[in-house]
Amino acid sequence: EKILSIMRDARIGAIGAIGITLLLIFKFAMLSNFPCNSMFKTLILSCVFSRWAQVYGCVSCEYARQAGKGKNFIKYASKNELMIAGLFTFAVFALLARTKGMIIFAVSTIVIFLFVRWIKKRLGGMTGDTVGAVNETAEALILLAGLVIS
C-alpha cells in the first residue's frame, strides 16, 4: 500500500529523476554505438516488442488499485489480444532479424516474464506506472540485445 501511495503522487522524487536520467543515458549510449545498417531494424524491433510487453503485463495481472487511469487497459485486455500481438511481434522479429531475432525475442521475453512476475508479487498487480515501466524495460532490453548481437 505504501508503494502504491507513493506511485500515486504526481511529484517526482530524487530516485525517480535519477532513474529517468540513467534510462535516457543508457538508451543514448546504446543508439550511439549501433552500426548504421542495423539501427533501423533494432528501433522497429524495440518499439514492437515493448508494445507486446505492455499487452502481456496488462493481460497477466489484475489492477493493483481500486481505481485509476490504467484500470481499463488492464481490465479489458484479453488473451486473444495477447495472442495476436505475440504472433505479430514474432513475425516482425522473424522477418527483420531472422535467427538472431528469434534469440533476442526468446531471451527478452523471459526477462519481461520475470519482471512482470516481480511487479505482481511486489504490488499485487499492475498499474499504469508499472505498464510504463514494462515498456521502458522492454525497449532497453531490445536495444541492448541488438547491440550485443550486431
Side-chain angles (χ1 to χ4, degrees):
E1 288 299 319
K2 185 176 180 182
I3 294 170
L4 290 172
S5 68
I6 291 169
M7 289 170 58
R8 174 125 1 238
D9 190 352
R11 296 171 295 172
I12 187 169
I15 299 298
I18 291 168
I20 289 170
T21 303
L22 289 176
L23 177 67
L24 291 173
I25 290 170
F26 177 80
K27 286 183 176 183
F28 179 77
M30 293 298 106
L31 291 173
S32 65
N33 287 305
F34 260 100
C36 290
N37 62 345
S38 65
M39 183 185 292
F40 179 71
K41 289 180 182 179
T42 306
L43 286 172
I44 293 171
L45 295 176
S46 70
C47 289
V48 170
F49 184 77
S50 65
R51 293 341 180 257
W52 170 83
Q54 286 181 314
V55 174
Y56 171 72
C58 289
V59 169
S60 64
C61 297
E62 297 292 322
Y63 193 65
R65 296 187 176 114
Q66 295 298 320
K69 294 177 186 169
K71 184 175 185 173
N72 288 334
F73 290 102
I74 295 166
K75 182 178 178 181
Y76 295 111
S78 72
K79 290 184 181 182
N80 288 337
E81 291 160 344
L82 178 63
M83 183 70 89
I84 292 167
L87 290 173
F88 178 79
T89 303
F90 187 80
V92 170
F93 271 75
L95 290 172
L96 291 180
R98 310 241 186 309
T99 305
K100 290 179 182 179
M102 299 299 100
I103 294 167
I104 292 171
F105 181 79
V107 171
S108 298
T109 299
I110 292 168
V111 173
I112 292 300
F113 284 160
L114 293 173
F115 184 52
V116 169
R117 185 176 170 193
W118 178 78
I119 291 170
K120 191 176 188 179
K121 189 176 192 179
R122 183 104 169 140
L123 300 177
M126 297 293 276
T127 66
D129 290 338
T130 59
V131 171
V134 167
N135 177 69
E136 294 300 326
T137 302
E139 279 186 7
L141 272 170
I142 298 301
L143 291 176
L144 178 62
L147 184 60
V148 167
I149 296 240
S150 68

